[in-house]
């Protein structure tokens, strides 16, 4: 369990350099035209961070809270924690809420409490859990997204759009997953906007490369059928500097345009999309 949380923590490290003047190459090729049409992140359903206490000693109010206060990375203990919570069912809810809100509890146990609250309360817990999408801990923001996805809460579009720009890579990836799994087509432009976020690139200025989340974003744009992305995608797939994402562009263009490129190597596919682009050009 400890290894898993450390792996998640490393994944959340910011990948890009902090030079505020850097812009991706898309900005230099008139591909920014689509970006300029995207409105700013929706403000609806934005939530404030729930109040948390400082890291001070806390006296548990129930035996269940005492269990959650104990830090243990043992799978056996976590299983016992879940089992004891389920035994109490609705009676466990006040304790779970305290665990989530009070900073004295270990992060891994807050994670468990979030999932258990969703399991016990179902969709009734969604509004409360959505507030933790603005929690200072990336782990709680991630847990909030995962539970909202499990509960199929499609109405929190403002939250999902905002967290596509989260400072944590793993949170951004989960927000993308939520949008994909719930097929939130209204958020397709915000997914496209991820291509312009410097945090989604690795390396230093002048030698930055697209990270895997860019590839995933391109595919999701296709699955959400963002028609406005067709023209810039047709431009990108015919330029060698985007060859690392040609496969994803081919996939997305096929999804949006409802036509498959020919079987064979990427050169054949690129030629096909070039002809499609020429056919669409208005003289």
């Amino acid at each position: 369990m400890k290894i898993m949380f450390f792996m998640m923590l490393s994944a959340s490290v910011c990948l890009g350099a902090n030079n505020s003047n850097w812009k991706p190459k898309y900005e230099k090729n008139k591909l920014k035209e689509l970006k300029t049409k995207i409105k700013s992140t929706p403000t609806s359903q934005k939530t404030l961070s729930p109040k948390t206490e400082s890291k001070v000693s806390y006296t548990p109010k129930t035996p269940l809270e005492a269990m959650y206060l104990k830090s243990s990375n043992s799978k056996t203990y976590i299983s016992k924690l879940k089992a004891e919570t389920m035994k109490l069912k609705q009676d466990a809810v006040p304790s779970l809420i305290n665990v989530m809100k009070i900073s004295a509890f270990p992060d891994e146990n807050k994670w468990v409490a979030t999932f258990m609250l969703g399991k016990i309360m179902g969709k009734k817990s969604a509004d409360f859990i959505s507030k933790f999408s603005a929690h200072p801990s990336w782990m709680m923001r991630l847990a909030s997204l995962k539970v909202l996805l499990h509960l199929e809460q499609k109405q929190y579009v403002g939250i999902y759009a905002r967290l596509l720009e989260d400072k944590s890579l793993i949170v951004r990836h989960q927000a993308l997953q939520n949008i994909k799994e719930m097929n939130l087509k209204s958020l397709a432009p915000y997914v496209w906007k991820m291509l312009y976020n410097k945090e989604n690139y690795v390396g230093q200025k002048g030698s930055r490369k697209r990270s895997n989340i860019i590839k995933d974003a391109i595919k999701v744009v296709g699955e959400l059928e963002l028609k406005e992305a067709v023209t810039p995608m047709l431009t990108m797939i015919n330029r060698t500097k985007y060859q690392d994402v040609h496969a994803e562009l081919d996939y997305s263009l096929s999804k949006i345009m409802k036509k498959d490129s020919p079987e064979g190597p990427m050169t054949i596919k690129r030629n096909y999309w070039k002809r499609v682009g020429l056919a669409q050009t208005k003289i």
Side-chain angles (χ1 to χ4, degrees), residues 2-193:
K2 186 173 183 180
I3 294 174
M4 180 186 75
F5 282 109
F6 273 111
M7 288 175 67
M8 292 170 66
L9 183 58
S10 0
S12 68
V13 176
C14 174
L15 293 176
N18 293 322
N19 192 312
S20 59
N21 295 323
W22 176 82
K23 293 180 183 294
K25 291 181 180 178
Y26 309 105
E27 297 283 15
K28 303 177 183 178
N29 296 285
K30 295 185 179 180
L31 303 182
K32 62 181 179 181
E33 292 179 5
L34 175 55
K35 181 193 174 188
T36 60
K37 298 178 183 178
I38 301 173
K39 297 179 181 179
S40 57
T41 302
T43 54
S44 62
Q45 296 158 329
K46 279 193 176 183
T47 53
L48 298 176
S49 172
K51 293 181 179 179
T52 56
E53 298 179 5
S54 302
K55 285 282 185 181
V56 293
S57 59
Y58 172 75
T59 303
K61 296 180 175 62
T62 65
L64 186 63
E65 284 188 18
M67 289 185 67
Y68 274 95
L69 196 58
K70 179 181 176 181
S71 181
S72 175
N73 294 312
S74 163
K75 291 183 179 180
T76 302
Y77 187 78
I78 295 298
S79 297
K80 181 180 179 182
L81 198 56
K82 292 178 179 178
E84 290 300 316
T85 302
M86 288 308 297
K87 282 181 184 178
L88 293 171
K89 297 183 180 178
Q90 296 283 340
D91 290 338
V93 170
S95 294
L96 294 174
I97 289 173
N98 280 341
V99 173
M100 292 171 66
K101 292 176 66 175
I102 299 171
S103 63
F105 291 91
D107 282 349
E108 58 267 29
N109 291 353
K110 286 174 173 289
W111 173 281
V112 174
T114 305
F115 279 85
M116 296 309 295
L117 183 66
K119 189 169 185 178
I120 292 171
M121 295 292 293
K123 295 182 178 180
K124 293 180 180 179
S125 67
D127 185 62
F128 178 73
I129 288 174
S130 72
K131 293 177 171 57
F132 288 82
S133 66
H135 195 277
S137 167
W138 66 268
M139 193 179 293
M140 290 301 289
R141 299 196 300 276
L142 179 64
S144 174
L145 282 174
K146 283 184 172 290
V147 175
L148 290 175
L149 174 59
H150 177 73
L151 296 175
E152 298 181 347
Q153 297 298 292
K154 297 183 177 183
Q155 70 270 34
Y156 295 105
V157 291
I159 288 174
Y160 305 143
R162 172 169 56 82
L163 292 184
L164 286 176
E165 300 176 354
D166 193 84
K167 61 184 179 181
S168 165
L169 172 62
I170 195 170
V171 173
R172 296 198 300 275
H173 222 145
Q174 185 60 50
L176 181 62
Q177 189 69 17
N178 281 35
I179 293 168
K180 172 186 175 180
E181 294 295 328
M182 290 189 277
N183 196 32
L184 300 176
K185 293 189 176 184
S186 65
L187 296 184
Y190 300 96
V191 175
W192 176 264
K193 191 178 176 183

Side-chain angles (χ1 to χ4, degrees), residues 180-281:
K180 172 186 175 180
E181 294 295 328
M182 290 189 277
N183 196 32
L184 300 176
K185 293 189 176 184
S186 65
L187 296 184
Y190 300 96
V191 175
W192 176 264
K193 191 178 176 183
M194 295 180 78
L195 275 66
Y196 300 88
N197 184 351
K198 68 175 191 245
E199 305 297 342
N200 293 326
Y201 293 76
V202 296
Q204 300 299 315
K205 183 180 179 181
S207 61
R208 282 195 173 95
K209 296 181 179 180
R210 289 170 281 273
S211 65
N212 286 334
I213 197 172
I214 291 288
K215 296 182 178 182
D216 291 341
I218 291 173
K219 291 179 71 174
V220 172
V221 164
E223 291 168 4
L224 298 178
E225 300 178 358
L226 180 63
K227 290 181 172 55
E228 293 84 353
V230 168
T231 298
M233 282 185 175
L234 287 171
T235 300
M236 293 164 67
I237 200 169
N238 283 294
R239 294 188 179 178
T240 56
K241 63 184 175 183
Y242 301 119
Q243 61 185 357
D244 59 311
V245 292
H246 278 172
E248 288 73 23
L249 290 166
D250 173 63
Y251 173 86
S252 280
L253 285 167
S254 296
K255 288 287 186 181
I256 299 171
M257 303 191 76
K258 308 296 184 185
K259 52 178 71 175
D260 294 329
S261 58
E263 294 290 336
M266 187 53 65
T267 51
I268 293 177
K269 294 178 180 295
R270 287 177 61 192
N271 287 334
Y272 170 77
W273 292 119
K274 186 175 183 178
R275 292 196 299 273
V276 170
L278 290 172
Q280 289 193 338
T281 302

